[in-house]
């Protein structure tokens, strides 16, 4: 029976590839979701616990069965503990990614990472100064070494606060201090969360949630921020660049190499190897016209931001890319890499190779990348991709790519504004731009693929709200055509005027998942310029299709930083109305921002517009009744 792919994805390439995969009899993430239905209602509500082996336990939401686990934990405790552990896992993932970059920075400083270099020396010095590194009279490598040291200290337990929280407005830092949620060490907060949620430790649902915010802040102003800053230092701070997106970026007559995952440490070296003349010559000898490097998910976003490397797709497109038969090699590092990929590749000719010492996958070969072997490893892998070109079977690339612009780091945005955020602030004050929204996060097969991102974004820009996007949301919006200068046609009159004058699209690609911190940095710059807190600004965040624990951490650090954040899928918290009420209402009094949950992106847009107009009114700016 033919499936209704229109209900799975709004994208043309997605629908056509799903049709092909059905013909090929290859299962996808959507099929596996169907096979799981109905999913466990207890888990869905956050009411099951397996934190110890007196359990597993569950609490009956209808009040008829048990109301406590074996240890006596009730619904509030179990829900808060589970949410806390989700935040810890997400914060750990981002922060460990950041740590890997710091280690490369340290090895570059010691001359033990051939192939890597300091690309943005100015940024190195600026960030080093924030860490208190004395710059005068020191050479670049010495500064890099001392900065890496300072950042490694941020991971530990010896500080009272992670360094980069100093970028937050003073009023925000005061709130954190008063609540006792200033993030101390990056690893410390995650470790403490695991401790608190062990049986018999923290059984206050409020104190657990507050520590959840601190744990998330250690990610946003710690691990993720370090990941972004060190990536800029090592690989260059992004500047506006032209690119393209969707499955059509694969080229039938080229060797196609797909990089998937998150860490640019691997993908940057692959990019260099793809440019090696002897490997291009080898590709030509094999009958190809060249080597075509494309990205998936966030490592793709990292390459797109810095080099304009085209983007084949986001999270839910990762299986579908293999079914084109055109991917000669897929290299993965970590995070968001479905364990199904190796099995799917076995149906086609794609070589699948994992590269991180901490991430293995069934059906993939494993070749470990380290800073000291990265150059040779990258060349060897690109050569293998070239050799695999001749093993192709049927190739199906059903669409043409869509043009897009990327590279909007905060530095690039301020650059486009003429070197100061002032024109943006003026446009907001005048009401030409009503406010700014960060549309971020993943895909989730429970939501029609890309529908949430695209519908929400379209609605926001039509109402003069400037959108900065990252991660899989950014790919969805690129494919929808929102990232070319001409896309101002979708914007309201005021936003159209401002973007038209600056030559920028109304939707700014700000990078990968860890690059959500660029939104925090931009918000801080605006708040400092207006001498207000982040929570006073007409800004909001949204994750219309999120799925991952990392997204929970991102949402929590947005809210803890004062950004009202609307989630599409409901987190597993509905088993405790206390937890739901605190996160969606009570936090406003404590931290000046809350979560909202709204799966319908049209309604989510309304919530965001209403919030932005309320903030405008409070700031004494012209506002609309929404
Ligand atoms: Fe059950 Fe308590 Fe153990 Fe959780 S910690 S599994 S609720 S006994
Ligand atoms: S890749 S965390 S699915 S945004 Fe960063 Fe996309 Fe979400 Fe992964």
């Amino acid at each position: 029976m033919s499936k209704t792919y229109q209900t799975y994805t709004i994208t043309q390439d997605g629908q056509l590839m799903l049709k092909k995969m059905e013909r090929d009899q290859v299962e996808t993430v959507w099929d596996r979701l169907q096979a799981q239905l109905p999913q466990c209602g207890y888990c869905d509500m956050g009411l099951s616990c397996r934190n110890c082996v007196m359990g597993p336990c569950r609490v009956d939401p209808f009040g008829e069965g048990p109301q406590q686990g074996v240890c006596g934990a009730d619904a509030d405790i179990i829900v808060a503990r589970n949410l806390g552990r989700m935040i810890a896992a997400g914060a750990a993932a981002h922060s460990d990614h950041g740590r890997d970059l710091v280690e490369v920075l340290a090895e570059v400083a010691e001359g033990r990472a051939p192939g890597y270099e300091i690309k943005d020396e100015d940024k190195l010095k600026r960030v080093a100064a924030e860490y208190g590194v004395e710059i005068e009279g020191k050479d670049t490598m010495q500064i890099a070494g001392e900065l890496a040291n300072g950042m490694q200290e941020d991971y530990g337990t010896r500080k009272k606060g992670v360094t980069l929280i100093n970028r937050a407005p003073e009023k925000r830092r005061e709130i954190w201090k008063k609540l006792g949620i200033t993030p101390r060490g990056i690893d410390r907060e995650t470790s403490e969360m695991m401790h608190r949620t062990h049986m018999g430790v923290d059984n206050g649902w409020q104190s657990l949630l507050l520590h959840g915010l601190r744990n998330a802040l250690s990610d946003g102003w710690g691990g993720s921020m370090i990941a972004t800053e060190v990536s800029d230092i090592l690989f260059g701070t992004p500047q506006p660049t032209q690119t393209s997106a969707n499955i059509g970026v694969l080229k039938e007559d080229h060797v196609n190499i797909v990089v998937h995952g998150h860490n640019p440490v691997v993908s940057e070296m692959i990019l260099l190897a793809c440019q090696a003349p002897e490997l291009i010559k080898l590709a030509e000898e094999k009958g190809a016209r060249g080597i075509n490097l494309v990205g998936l998910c966030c490592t793709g976003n990292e390459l797109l931001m810095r080099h304009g490397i085209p983007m084949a797709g986001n999270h839910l497109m990762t299986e579908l890319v293999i079914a084109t038969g055109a991917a000669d090699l897929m290299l993965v590092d970590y995070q968001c890499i479905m364990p199904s990929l190796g099995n799917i590749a076995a149906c086609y000719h794609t070589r699948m190779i994992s590269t991180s010492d901490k991430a293995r996958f069934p059906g993939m070969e494993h070749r470990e990348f380290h800073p000291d072997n990265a150059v040779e490893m990258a060349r060897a892998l690109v050569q293998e991709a070239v050799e695999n070109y001749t093993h192709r079977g049927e190739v199906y690339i059903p669409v043409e790519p869509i043009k897009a612009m990327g590279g909007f780091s905060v530095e690039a945005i301020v650059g486009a504004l003429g070197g100061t955020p002032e024109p943006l602030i003026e446009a907001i004050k005048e009401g030409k731009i009503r406010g700014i929204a960060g549309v971020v996060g993943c895909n989730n097969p429970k939501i029609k693929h890309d529908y949430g991102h695209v519908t929400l974004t379209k609605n926001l820009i039509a109402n003069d709200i400037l959108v900065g996007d990252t991660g899989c949301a950014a790919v969805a919006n690129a494919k929808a055509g929102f990232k070319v200068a001409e896309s101002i046609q979708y914007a309201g009159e005021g936003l159209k005027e401002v973007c038209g004058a600056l030559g920028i699209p109304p939707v700014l690609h700000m990078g990968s998942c860890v690059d959500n911190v660029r939104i925090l940095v931009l918000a801080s710059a605006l708040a400092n310029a207006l001498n207000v807190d982040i929570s006073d600004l007409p800004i909001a965040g949204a994750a219309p299709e999120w799925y991952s624990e990392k997204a929970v951490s991102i949402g929590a650090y947005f809210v803890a930083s004062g950004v009202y954040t609307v989630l599409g899928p409901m987190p597993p918290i509905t088993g405790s109305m206390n937890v739901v009420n605190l996160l969606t209402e009570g936090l406003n009094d404590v931290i000046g921002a809350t979560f909202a949950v709204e799966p319908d992106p049209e309604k989510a847009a309304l919530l965001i517009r209403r919030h932005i107009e309320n903030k405008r009114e409070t700031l004494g700016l012209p506002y609309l009744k929404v």
Side-chain angles (χ1 to χ4, degrees):
M1 190 180 72
S2 191
K3 294 162 192 160
T4 48
Y5 299 121
Q6 289 82 353
T7 64
Y8 287 1
T9 172
I10 62 165
T11 64
Q12 195 198 4
D13 56 351
Q15 289 172 10
L16 292 169
M17 291 313 302
L18 281 168
K19 206 162 167 190
K20 176 172 192 292
M21 290 178 85
E22 186 183 14
R23 221 170 45 230
D24 294 349
Q25 298 190 317
V26 177
E27 244 184 31
T28 68
V29 59
W30 285 276
D31 299 314
R32 295 190 300 273
L33 172 63
Q34 291 304 315
Q36 285 290 334
L37 297 178
Q39 288 173 314
C40 171
Y42 294 98
C43 292
D44 208 30
M45 298 177 80
L47 283 174
S48 51
C49 178
R50 49 179 179 74
N51 286 11
C52 84
V53 289
M54 292 194 287
C57 304
R58 53 195 191 180
V59 165
D60 187 323
F62 304 110
E64 287 162 12
Q67 293 301 294
Q68 294 179 336
V70 176
C71 67
D74 62 14
D76 296 333
I77 296 171
I78 290 176
V79 168
R81 278 198 312 217
N82 288 340
L83 186 68
R85 286 198 167 196
M86 286 186 90
I87 293 173
H94 285 145
S95 300
D96 205 36
H97 165 170
R99 185 196 336 266
D100 285 342
L101 283 151
V102 176
E103 285 181 353
V104 174
L105 182 67
E107 302 218 14
V108 168
E110 287 165 19
R112 288 194 282 113
Y116 297 94
E117 56 184 318
I118 305 292
K119 282 262 177 63
D120 191 337
E121 223 175 295
D122 284 346
K123 186 150 193 175
L124 169 74
K125 288 181 183 159
R126 281 202 312 276
V127 180
E130 290 181 82
Y131 275 81
V133 174
E134 189 57 57
I135 310 288
E136 278 308 308
K138 288 186 187 153
D139 70 21
T140 306
M141 290 309 163
Q142 196 176 353
I143 298 169
E146 290 182 27
L147 175 59
N149 244 328
M151 287 175 158
Q152 275 159 342
E153 287 277 312
D154 269 347
Y155 278 83
T157 58
R158 291 174 53 188
K159 289 184 168 178
K160 288 204 167 66
V162 299
T163 306
L164 296 174
I165 53 170
N166 291 325
R167 293 177 172 186
E170 204 182 327
K171 289 179 184 167
R172 186 63 9 201
R173 280 181 278 139
E174 275 307 310
I175 291 174
W176 295 338
K177 200 167 155 195
K178 212 168 108 212
L179 286 172
I181 61 168
T182 302
R184 298 156 297 178
I186 297 166
D187 289 341
R188 175 178 184 166
E189 306 308 355
T190 293
S191 178
E192 185 172 315
M193 178 57 87
M194 296 311 285
H195 179 195
R196 281 176 182 247
T197 52
H198 187 280
M199 204 302 274
V201 186
D202 192 356
N203 291 289
W205 57 271
Q206 299 98 326
S207 52
L208 279 164
L209 294 178
L210 273 181
H211 185 70
L213 297 183
R214 175 156 57 178
N215 196 173
L217 287 170
S218 78
D219 171 1
W221 299 86
S224 279
M225 205 168 274
I226 285 175
T228 291
E229 299 301 53
V230 178
S231 296
D232 285 357
I233 289 167
L234 289 172
F235 307 120
T237 302
Q239 290 298 321
T241 172
Q242 300 298 330
T243 185
S244 53
N246 79 21
I247 225 160
V249 301
L250 293 165
K251 294 182 181 167
E252 183 157 9
D253 54 4
H254 280 61
V255 174
N256 291 304
I257 300 179
V258 185
V259 281
H260 176 17
H262 281 78
N263 198 325
V265 162
V266 175
S267 49
E268 285 277 345
M269 286 301 115
I270 296 292
L271 171 60
L272 279 182
C274 286
Q275 293 161 347
E278 65 277 18
L279 290 171
I280 295 172
K281 188 159 168 274
L282 184 65
E284 287 164 357
E285 283 164 16
K286 298 281 176 192
R289 295 184 64 178
I291 302 173
N292 182 37
L293 179 65
V294 303
L296 280 174
C297 285
C298 282
T299 207
N301 279 323
E302 298 274 352
L303 289 181
L304 181 157
M305 288 286 284
R306 298 193 176 86
H307 310 284
I309 295 299
M311 176 60 89
N314 49 14
H315 181 52
L316 288 184
M317 294 299 294
T318 55
E319 297 181 322
L320 281 50
V321 162
I322 296 171
T324 59
D328 300 298
L329 172 71
M330 186 184 287
L331 282 169
V332 305
D333 51 75
Y334 44 54
Q335 298 169 15
C336 305
I337 296 149
M338 291 192 231
S340 62
L341 292 181
N343 295 335
I344 290 180
C347 304
Y348 301 92
H349 87 302
T350 305
R351 290 278 303 276
M352 300 293 300
I353 298 186
S354 55
T355 56
S356 163
D357 59 343
K358 57 188 96 174
R360 313 275 172 131
F361 302 87
M364 291 196 199
E365 298 165 58
H366 186 71
R367 307 287 187 79
E368 232 159 85
F369 259 72
H370 295 284
D372 59 345
N373 75 356
V375 173
E376 306 93 78
M377 181 66 81
R379 281 177 179 245
L381 293 177
V382 171
Q383 181 167 342
E384 288 179 37
V386 171
E387 274 154 12
N388 199 28
Y389 178 74
T390 52
H391 298 142
R392 280 191 191 174
E394 179 204 358
V395 169
Y396 178 64
I397 306 172
V399 293
E400 289 297 317
I402 303 285
K403 285 197 168 64
M405 199 189 275
F408 289 96
S409 58
V410 175
E411 291 86 339
I413 294 172
V414 173
L417 293 167
T420 148
E422 209 41 53
L424 180 57
I425 292 170
E426 276 314 305
I428 292 173
K429 281 185 179 167
E430 288 169 29
K432 287 181 183 163
I433 294 179
R434 312 298 308 170
I436 303 175
V439 179
V440 310
C442 328
N443 299 133
N444 182 331
K446 293 177 176 176
I447 302 254
K448 194 196 286 185
H449 172 231
D450 286 359
Y451 173 73
H453 300 306
V454 170
T455 311
L456 175 65
T457 302
K458 194 169 183 183
N459 197 313
L460 294 176
I461 59 175
N463 286 288
D464 292 319
I465 294 169
L466 178 68
V467 170
D469 59 5
T470 62
C472 291
V475 184
N477 286 334
K479 285 170 70 171
F482 294 160
K483 296 189 181 190
V484 280
E486 303 81 63
S487 59
I488 55 171
Q489 63 175 301
Y490 301 114
E493 285 310 311
L495 184 61
K496 189 185 287 178
E497 185 190 322
V498 178
C499 292
L502 295 170
I504 57 171
V507 182
L508 304 179
H509 193 322
M510 296 183 74
S512 63
C513 307
V514 291
D515 290 340
N516 281 311
V517 302
R518 297 193 199 273
I519 299 173
L520 294 183
V521 172
L522 181 64
S524 298
L526 296 178
N528 286 334
L530 289 165
N531 196 24
V532 296
D533 189 5
I534 294 175
S535 58
D536 299 321
L537 295 171
I539 63 170
E545 303 181 33
W546 73 277
Y547 90 90
S548 76
E549 292 163 317
K550 292 183 295 168
V552 182
S553 179
I554 293 166
Y557 75 61
F558 264 41
V559 168
S561 301
V563 183
Y564 171 70
T565 298
V566 184
L567 304 175
M570 174 61 96
I573 58 171
T574 52
S576 164
M577 282 321 286
N578 279 331
V579 171
V580 170
N581 290 338
L582 182 73
L583 296 181
T584 56
E585 288 171 26
L587 276 184
N588 217 7
D589 298 332
V590 188
I591 203 105
T594 61
F595 284 100
V597 181
E598 179 47 73
D600 178 342
E602 302 275 5
K603 290 185 186 155
L606 206 61
L607 291 177
I608 289 174
R609 289 178 55 210
R610 205 170 281 153
H611 171 80
I612 281 179
E613 295 301 335
N614 285 342
K615 291 292 171 185
R616 293 184 63 86
E617 182 181 7
T618 313
L619 282 172
L621 302 178
Y623 66 96
L624 301 169
K625 284 260 174 258
V626 177

